[in-house]
Amino acid sequence: MLAYRKTFSGGFFLKNFSGIPKPTIEEVPLPARVIIPLKQGYGSEVPPTVKPLDKVTAGQVIGIRDSSISTPVLASVNGTVEQFIKIKYLNNEVYAIVIKSDGSKGWTKIEVASPKFESKKPDEIGKILYTAGVTSLGPSGFPTRYNTSSAKVENITDLIINAVNTEPFLPTNEILLKGNPETSSGQAIERFVTGVRILRQALPKANVHIGINRQDNEIIIKLINAAKGRGTQAGLGSWLHIYPLKPKYPQEHEAVLTNTILSRVVPYGGHAADIGIVVLDVQAVLHAYEAVVEGKPLIERIVTLGGSAYKDNIAVKVRVGTPIEHILAHRIKGDVEKRVILGGIMTGITQSDLSVPITKTTSSIVALEENKKREFLTFLRPGINRHSFSNTFLSAIFPFWKKRSDTNIHGEFRPCIVCTYCTDACPVDMMPHLLSKYVRFGPLEETLKLKLYACIDCGLCTYVCPAKIPLMEDIQAGRRRIVEEGVSV
């Protein structure tokens, strides 16, 4: 059940930053209006099934299309449909439904849900997950007999649960499994284990692998005990495997996690589902529990508020569709210019329009102090609160000193000195500095020999580069040019 000594080459420990959320969860009051995008998570945009002035209830299907890979879109509040709008969200334009809330907190229960789920067939479990909106979670969706993923249920051999937590400011196990005010730590872990059993019941051929921070000793012990408590009844010992892993970024990326745990390589440009593997995070497992056992549709998320621009760094429970500005109201420091990022600081996307909503895949809203000022004689500073891949600052001697989190790159752009830090840090064994040069100066065909399409966009090469070269952006530009210029792949 327990496996040790698994890791991957490259990577970096991103730890001890200032602005890390505490394991405290507060509930955000219902907004006056929610904005529900008709594309959320994995799958295509769906057409609406409601029209303006229609009354809706929380959990009601308001958008669906069975003919394409998709999952139903649900109303997250009780109220009235006001209008349809188009919003720009995460660099995409999507249609959305605006619903005026009536202020009530209730939601429509999924009637076929039951705590006695053991007697249900895989298709019945899949139907509940589909109805609840859970099947659009994960990098490639959750396979069911409905058209929710490119993979088929019968082809899934492994389910990997990502509980590694290596990117700063994202929800941690401590928050999701210990910080929820509605449940004790033991109850939350029991719900998690039950959620794992539910997902495995929907994928009867799958072995389940939980990759978790090896520092989470208390949670690991409770997981083992909870699993043993169910062992006779559910046979957990035979199909559940727990892997304590080093919290080295980007261990939680599906390609890295799949290779670390199963020694299997995700195809370039593809997903783990292409080789029969489903990857989900802890919050997705908890949503599965709520849907199948409690009949609760996916209408709210736990979202962390991390970064130096907040007055207090906590996690919040918030309805899907709530505008970002409603969540941030009164929580941002009044005397700072901020940069808001949806997602983690390494892979998230800057969001300047704060009227857009969170969706059922939003896990974090990072707010960093915008620092564009040039620092005087910065190279003479000892760097007690600076992160350094090369360990050249005093922070290497004082590892427990909180690292600064703002937007200043702390230095000007310089030519590449071929230090190869980017190669050392790369988790997929690429040479980003060479790729960058070929993208900028050619020939572009050489980038294909250097595994251009193996990049997982983790951003670590850019982060560790002492010359401040935007290596990840160059690699992404190279992929775009390959398509635009018709270079043979």
Short mmCIF file of all heavy atoms in Angstrom, two decimals, residues 114-160:
data_model
loop_
_atom_site.label_atom_id
_atom_site.label_comp_id
_atom_site.label_asym_id
_atom_site.label_seq_id
_atom_site.Cartn_x
_atom_site.Cartn_y
_atom_site.Cartn_z
N SER A 114 -26.89 8.60 -2.74
CA SER A 114 -27.14 7.86 -1.50
C SER A 114 -25.83 7.49 -0.83
O SER A 114 -24.84 7.18 -1.52
CB SER A 114 -27.92 6.58 -1.80
OG SER A 114 -27.98 5.74 -0.66
N PRO A 115 -25.79 7.51 0.52
CA PRO A 115 -24.59 7.04 1.22
C PRO A 115 -24.32 5.56 0.96
O PRO A 115 -23.19 5.10 1.10
CB PRO A 115 -24.93 7.29 2.69
CG PRO A 115 -25.99 8.34 2.67
CD PRO A 115 -26.79 8.08 1.44
N LYS A 116 -25.35 4.81 0.55
CA LYS A 116 -25.18 3.38 0.25
C LYS A 116 -24.86 3.21 -1.24
O LYS A 116 -25.61 2.56 -1.98
CB LYS A 116 -26.45 2.64 0.64
CG LYS A 116 -26.79 2.75 2.12
CD LYS A 116 -28.08 2.00 2.46
CE LYS A 116 -28.40 2.12 3.94
NZ LYS A 116 -29.66 1.41 4.29
N PHE A 117 -23.75 3.78 -1.63
CA PHE A 117 -23.39 3.78 -3.05
C PHE A 117 -22.77 2.46 -3.50
O PHE A 117 -22.62 2.20 -4.69
CB PHE A 117 -22.41 4.91 -3.34
CG PHE A 117 -21.11 4.78 -2.61
CD1 PHE A 117 -20.05 4.05 -3.14
CD2 PHE A 117 -20.93 5.37 -1.36
CE1 PHE A 117 -18.86 3.92 -2.46
CE2 PHE A 117 -19.74 5.25 -0.68
CZ PHE A 117 -18.69 4.52 -1.22
N GLU A 118 -22.36 1.60 -2.54
CA GLU A 118 -21.66 0.36 -2.90
C GLU A 118 -22.47 -0.53 -3.82
O GLU A 118 -21.92 -1.30 -4.61
CB GLU A 118 -21.28 -0.43 -1.63
CG GLU A 118 -20.24 0.24 -0.75
CD GLU A 118 -20.86 1.14 0.31
OE1 GLU A 118 -22.07 1.42 0.17
OE2 GLU A 118 -20.15 1.54 1.24
N SER A 119 -23.79 -0.44 -3.74
CA SER A 119 -24.64 -1.30 -4.56
C SER A 119 -24.87 -0.74 -5.96
O SER A 119 -25.47 -1.41 -6.81
CB SER A 119 -26.01 -1.48 -3.87
OG SER A 119 -26.66 -0.23 -3.71
N LYS A 120 -24.41 0.45 -6.22
CA LYS A 120 -24.63 1.07 -7.52
C LYS A 120 -23.62 0.57 -8.55
O LYS A 120 -22.46 0.29 -8.23
CB LYS A 120 -24.54 2.59 -7.41
CG LYS A 120 -25.66 3.22 -6.58
CD LYS A 120 -25.61 4.72 -6.63
CE LYS A 120 -26.71 5.35 -5.78
NZ LYS A 120 -28.05 5.01 -6.32
N LYS A 121 -24.06 0.47 -9.80
CA LYS A 121 -23.19 0.05 -10.88
C LYS A 121 -22.31 1.22 -11.33
O LYS A 121 -22.63 2.38 -11.08
CB LYS A 121 -24.04 -0.46 -12.05
CG LYS A 121 -24.88 -1.68 -11.70
CD LYS A 121 -25.73 -2.09 -12.89
CE LYS A 121 -26.58 -3.32 -12.54
NZ LYS A 121 -27.46 -3.73 -13.67
N PRO A 122 -21.19 0.92 -12.02
CA PRO A 122 -20.32 2.00 -12.48
C PRO A 122 -21.05 3.06 -13.30
O PRO A 122 -20.78 4.26 -13.15
CB PRO A 122 -19.28 1.26 -13.33
CG PRO A 122 -19.20 -0.10 -12.72
CD PRO A 122 -20.60 -0.41 -12.28
N ASP A 123 -21.97 2.65 -14.17
CA ASP A 123 -22.71 3.61 -14.98
C ASP A 123 -23.58 4.52 -14.12
O ASP A 123 -23.77 5.70 -14.44
CB ASP A 123 -23.58 2.89 -16.01
CG ASP A 123 -22.77 2.40 -17.20
OD1 ASP A 123 -21.57 2.73 -17.26
OD2 ASP A 123 -23.33 1.70 -18.05
N GLU A 124 -24.12 3.97 -13.03
CA GLU A 124 -24.96 4.78 -12.14
C GLU A 124 -24.12 5.82 -11.40
O GLU A 124 -24.55 6.96 -11.22
CB GLU A 124 -25.70 3.86 -11.15
CG GLU A 124 -26.71 2.95 -11.80
CD GLU A 124 -27.33 1.97 -10.82
OE1 GLU A 124 -26.58 1.32 -10.07
OE2 GLU A 124 -28.58 1.86 -10.80
N ILE A 125 -22.93 5.41 -10.95
CA ILE A 125 -22.01 6.37 -10.32
C ILE A 125 -21.62 7.44 -11.33
O ILE A 125 -21.62 8.65 -11.03
CB ILE A 125 -20.75 5.67 -9.79
CG1 ILE A 125 -21.11 4.65 -8.69
CG2 ILE A 125 -19.75 6.70 -9.26
CD1 ILE A 125 -21.59 5.25 -7.40
N GLY A 126 -21.30 7.03 -12.55
CA GLY A 126 -20.92 7.97 -13.59
C GLY A 126 -22.02 8.96 -13.89
O GLY A 126 -21.76 10.15 -14.13
N LYS A 127 -23.26 8.51 -13.87
CA LYS A 127 -24.39 9.41 -14.14
C LYS A 127 -24.51 10.48 -13.07
O LYS A 127 -24.77 11.66 -13.36
CB LYS A 127 -25.70 8.62 -14.23
CG LYS A 127 -26.89 9.49 -14.56
CD LYS A 127 -28.17 8.67 -14.69
CE LYS A 127 -29.35 9.57 -15.05
NZ LYS A 127 -30.61 8.78 -15.19
N ILE A 128 -24.30 10.11 -11.81
CA ILE A 128 -24.37 11.09 -10.73
C ILE A 128 -23.26 12.12 -10.87
O ILE A 128 -23.48 13.33 -10.75
CB ILE A 128 -24.29 10.39 -9.35
CG1 ILE A 128 -25.50 9.47 -9.14
CG2 ILE A 128 -24.22 11.43 -8.23
CD1 ILE A 128 -25.41 8.63 -7.88
N LEU A 129 -22.06 11.65 -11.15
CA LEU A 129 -20.93 12.56 -11.33
C LEU A 129 -21.17 13.50 -12.51
O LEU A 129 -20.83 14.69 -12.45
CB LEU A 129 -19.63 11.77 -11.54
CG LEU A 129 -19.18 10.88 -10.38
CD1 LEU A 129 -17.96 10.06 -10.77
CD2 LEU A 129 -18.89 11.70 -9.13
N TYR A 130 -21.76 12.97 -13.57
CA TYR A 130 -22.08 13.78 -14.75
C TYR A 130 -23.14 14.82 -14.41
O TYR A 130 -22.99 16.01 -14.72
CB TYR A 130 -22.57 12.84 -15.85
CG TYR A 130 -23.07 13.52 -17.11
CD1 TYR A 130 -22.18 14.08 -18.02
CD2 TYR A 130 -24.43 13.57 -17.40
CE1 TYR A 130 -22.64 14.68 -19.19
CE2 TYR A 130 -24.89 14.16 -18.56
CZ TYR A 130 -23.99 14.71 -19.46
OH TYR A 130 -24.45 15.31 -20.60
N THR A 131 -24.19 14.40 -13.76
CA THR A 131 -25.28 15.30 -13.38
C THR A 131 -24.80 16.39 -12.44
O THR A 131 -25.27 17.54 -12.51
CB THR A 131 -26.42 14.52 -12.71
OG1 THR A 131 -26.86 13.47 -13.59
CG2 THR A 131 -27.60 15.42 -12.39
N ALA A 132 -23.84 16.06 -11.58
CA ALA A 132 -23.33 17.02 -10.61
C ALA A 132 -22.30 17.98 -11.20
O ALA A 132 -21.88 18.93 -10.54
CB ALA A 132 -22.72 16.29 -9.43
N GLY A 133 -21.86 17.74 -12.43
CA GLY A 133 -20.86 18.61 -13.06
C GLY A 133 -19.43 18.27 -12.70
O GLY A 133 -18.51 19.03 -13.02
N VAL A 134 -19.20 17.11 -12.08
CA VAL A 134 -17.86 16.75 -11.60
C VAL A 134 -16.99 16.21 -12.73
O VAL A 134 -15.76 16.29 -12.67
CB VAL A 134 -17.97 15.70 -10.46
CG1 VAL A 134 -16.60 15.22 -10.01
CG2 VAL A 134 -18.73 16.29 -9.28
N THR A 135 -17.61 15.69 -13.80
CA THR A 135 -16.84 14.99 -14.83
C THR A 135 -15.99 15.90 -15.70
O THR A 135 -15.22 15.42 -16.53
CB THR A 135 -17.79 14.18 -15.72
OG1 THR A 135 -18.88 15.01 -16.14
CG2 THR A 135 -18.35 12.98 -14.97
N SER A 136 -16.10 17.22 -15.54
CA SER A 136 -15.25 18.13 -16.32
C SER A 136 -13.96 18.48 -15.58
O SER A 136 -13.14 19.25 -16.09
CB SER A 136 -16.00 19.42 -16.65
OG SER A 136 -16.35 20.11 -15.46
N LEU A 137 -13.75 17.93 -14.40
CA LEU A 137 -12.54 18.22 -13.64
C LEU A 137 -11.38 17.35 -14.11
O LEU A 137 -11.58 16.28 -14.68
CB LEU A 137 -12.80 17.98 -12.14
CG LEU A 137 -13.93 18.80 -11.52
CD1 LEU A 137 -14.09 18.46 -10.04
CD2 LEU A 137 -13.67 20.30 -11.69
N GLY A 138 -10.17 17.81 -13.85
CA GLY A 138 -8.98 17.08 -14.29
C GLY A 138 -8.53 17.54 -15.66
O GLY A 138 -9.29 18.15 -16.41
N PRO A 139 -7.27 17.24 -16.03
CA PRO A 139 -6.71 17.70 -17.30
C PRO A 139 -7.43 17.15 -18.52
O PRO A 139 -7.39 17.74 -19.60
CB PRO A 139 -5.26 17.20 -17.26
CG PRO A 139 -4.98 16.96 -15.81
CD PRO A 139 -6.27 16.54 -15.21
N SER A 140 -8.10 15.98 -18.39
CA SER A 140 -8.78 15.38 -19.54
C SER A 140 -10.17 14.88 -19.20
O SER A 140 -10.71 13.99 -19.86
CB SER A 140 -7.93 14.22 -20.10
OG SER A 140 -7.57 13.31 -19.09
N GLY A 141 -10.78 15.45 -18.15
CA GLY A 141 -12.12 15.05 -17.78
C GLY A 141 -12.15 13.69 -17.10
O GLY A 141 -11.13 13.00 -16.97
N PHE A 142 -13.34 13.29 -16.67
CA PHE A 142 -13.52 11.98 -16.03
C PHE A 142 -14.38 11.12 -16.93
O PHE A 142 -15.50 11.48 -17.26
CB PHE A 142 -14.17 12.13 -14.65
CG PHE A 142 -14.19 10.85 -13.86
CD1 PHE A 142 -13.09 10.47 -13.12
CD2 PHE A 142 -15.30 10.02 -13.88
CE1 PHE A 142 -13.08 9.28 -12.40
CE2 PHE A 142 -15.31 8.82 -13.17
CZ PHE A 142 -14.19 8.46 -12.42
N PRO A 143 -13.88 9.96 -17.37
CA PRO A 143 -14.62 9.13 -18.33
C PRO A 143 -15.89 8.53 -17.72
O PRO A 143 -15.89 8.02 -16.59
CB PRO A 143 -13.63 8.02 -18.67
CG PRO A 143 -12.29 8.52 -18.25
CD PRO A 143 -12.55 9.42 -17.07
N THR A 144 -16.97 8.60 -18.47
CA THR A 144 -18.23 7.94 -18.14
C THR A 144 -18.85 7.44 -19.44
O THR A 144 -18.30 7.65 -20.52
CB THR A 144 -19.22 8.91 -17.46
OG1 THR A 144 -19.57 9.95 -18.40
CG2 THR A 144 -18.62 9.55 -16.22
N ARG A 145 -20.03 6.81 -19.35
CA ARG A 145 -20.70 6.39 -20.58
C ARG A 145 -21.25 7.59 -21.34
O ARG A 145 -21.64 7.49 -22.50
CB ARG A 145 -21.81 5.39 -20.28
CG ARG A 145 -23.02 5.95 -19.53
CD ARG A 145 -24.05 4.86 -19.35
NE ARG A 145 -25.22 5.31 -18.59
CZ ARG A 145 -26.27 5.90 -19.12
NH1 ARG A 145 -26.30 6.16 -20.41
NH2 ARG A 145 -27.30 6.25 -18.36
N TYR A 146 -21.27 8.74 -20.65
CA TYR A 146 -21.61 9.99 -21.33
C TYR A 146 -20.36 10.50 -22.03
O TYR A 146 -19.24 10.02 -21.79
CB TYR A 146 -22.15 11.02 -20.34
CG TYR A 146 -23.40 10.56 -19.65
CD1 TYR A 146 -23.34 9.87 -18.43
CD2 TYR A 146 -24.65 10.77 -20.21
CE1 TYR A 146 -24.49 9.42 -17.81
CE2 TYR A 146 -25.81 10.33 -19.59
CZ TYR A 146 -25.72 9.65 -18.39
OH TYR A 146 -26.86 9.20 -17.77
N ASN A 147 -20.50 11.50 -22.85
CA ASN A 147 -19.38 11.99 -23.66
C ASN A 147 -18.59 13.03 -22.86
O ASN A 147 -18.57 14.21 -23.20
CB ASN A 147 -19.93 12.61 -24.95
CG ASN A 147 -18.93 12.59 -26.08
OD1 ASN A 147 -17.85 12.01 -25.96
ND2 ASN A 147 -19.27 13.23 -27.18
N THR A 148 -17.91 12.58 -21.81
CA THR A 148 -17.25 13.50 -20.88
C THR A 148 -15.74 13.54 -21.02
O THR A 148 -15.08 14.39 -20.42
CB THR A 148 -17.60 13.14 -19.43
OG1 THR A 148 -17.26 11.75 -19.21
CG2 THR A 148 -19.08 13.34 -19.16
N SER A 149 -15.17 12.63 -21.77
CA SER A 149 -13.72 12.56 -21.91
C SER A 149 -13.39 11.87 -23.22
O SER A 149 -14.20 11.13 -23.78
CB SER A 149 -13.10 11.78 -20.74
OG SER A 149 -11.71 11.58 -20.92
N SER A 150 -12.17 12.11 -23.70
CA SER A 150 -11.72 11.40 -24.91
C SER A 150 -11.42 9.94 -24.62
O SER A 150 -11.34 9.11 -25.52
CB SER A 150 -10.48 12.08 -25.48
OG SER A 150 -9.43 12.10 -24.50
N ALA A 151 -11.26 9.61 -23.33
CA ALA A 151 -10.98 8.23 -22.93
C ALA A 151 -12.28 7.49 -22.61
O ALA A 151 -13.30 8.10 -22.29
CB ALA A 151 -10.06 8.22 -21.72
N LYS A 152 -12.22 6.17 -22.68
CA LYS A 152 -13.37 5.31 -22.37
C LYS A 152 -13.16 4.63 -21.02
O LYS A 152 -12.03 4.29 -20.65
CB LYS A 152 -13.57 4.26 -23.46
CG LYS A 152 -13.76 4.83 -24.87
CD LYS A 152 -15.00 5.71 -24.95
CE LYS A 152 -15.20 6.26 -26.36
NZ LYS A 152 -16.34 7.20 -26.44
N VAL A 153 -14.26 4.41 -20.30
CA VAL A 153 -14.19 3.80 -18.97
C VAL A 153 -13.43 2.48 -19.00
O VAL A 153 -12.56 2.21 -18.15
CB VAL A 153 -15.61 3.59 -18.40
CG1 VAL A 153 -15.54 2.81 -17.09
CG2 VAL A 153 -16.30 4.92 -18.18
N GLU A 154 -13.73 1.65 -20.00
CA GLU A 154 -13.14 0.31 -20.04
C GLU A 154 -11.64 0.33 -20.33
O GLU A 154 -10.95 -0.67 -20.12
CB GLU A 154 -13.86 -0.55 -21.07
CG GLU A 154 -13.84 -0.01 -22.49
CD GLU A 154 -15.00 0.92 -22.81
OE1 GLU A 154 -15.64 1.43 -21.85
OE2 GLU A 154 -15.27 1.14 -24.00
N ASN A 155 -11.12 1.47 -20.79
CA ASN A 155 -9.69 1.55 -21.11
C ASN A 155 -8.85 2.14 -19.99
O ASN A 155 -7.62 2.23 -20.12
CB ASN A 155 -9.49 2.38 -22.38
CG ASN A 155 -10.11 1.74 -23.61
OD1 ASN A 155 -10.23 0.51 -23.67
ND2 ASN A 155 -10.51 2.54 -24.57
N ILE A 156 -9.49 2.57 -18.91
CA ILE A 156 -8.75 3.20 -17.81
C ILE A 156 -8.19 2.13 -16.88
O ILE A 156 -8.93 1.36 -16.27
CB ILE A 156 -9.65 4.17 -17.03
CG1 ILE A 156 -10.17 5.27 -17.95
CG2 ILE A 156 -8.88 4.77 -15.86
CD1 ILE A 156 -9.09 6.09 -18.64
N THR A 157 -6.87 2.12 -16.76
CA THR A 157 -6.20 1.13 -15.90
C THR A 157 -5.72 1.71 -14.58
O THR A 157 -5.48 0.96 -13.63
CB THR A 157 -4.99 0.53 -16.64
OG1 THR A 157 -4.09 1.60 -17.00
CG2 THR A 157 -5.43 -0.20 -17.89
N ASP A 158 -5.58 3.05 -14.54
CA ASP A 158 -5.03 3.67 -13.33
C ASP A 158 -5.68 5.02 -13.08
O ASP A 158 -5.94 5.79 -14.02
CB ASP A 158 -3.52 3.86 -13.45
CG ASP A 158 -2.77 2.55 -13.58
OD1 ASP A 158 -2.48 1.94 -12.54
OD2 ASP A 158 -2.48 2.15 -14.72
N LEU A 159 -5.93 5.30 -11.82
CA LEU A 159 -6.41 6.61 -11.37
C LEU A 159 -5.37 7.17 -10.41
O LEU A 159 -5.05 6.55 -9.39
CB LEU A 159 -7.76 6.47 -10.67
CG LEU A 159 -8.29 7.71 -9.92
CD1 LEU A 159 -8.55 8.86 -10.89
CD2 LEU A 159 -9.56 7.37 -9.15
N ILE A 160 -4.83 8.34 -10.74
CA ILE A 160 -3.83 8.99 -9.88
C ILE A 160 -4.46 10.20 -9.21
O ILE A 160 -5.06 11.05 -9.86
CB ILE A 160 -2.60 9.45 -10.71
CG1 ILE A 160 -1.89 8.24 -11.31
CG2 ILE A 160 -1.64 10.25 -9.83
CD1 ILE A 160 -0.69 8.60 -12.18
#
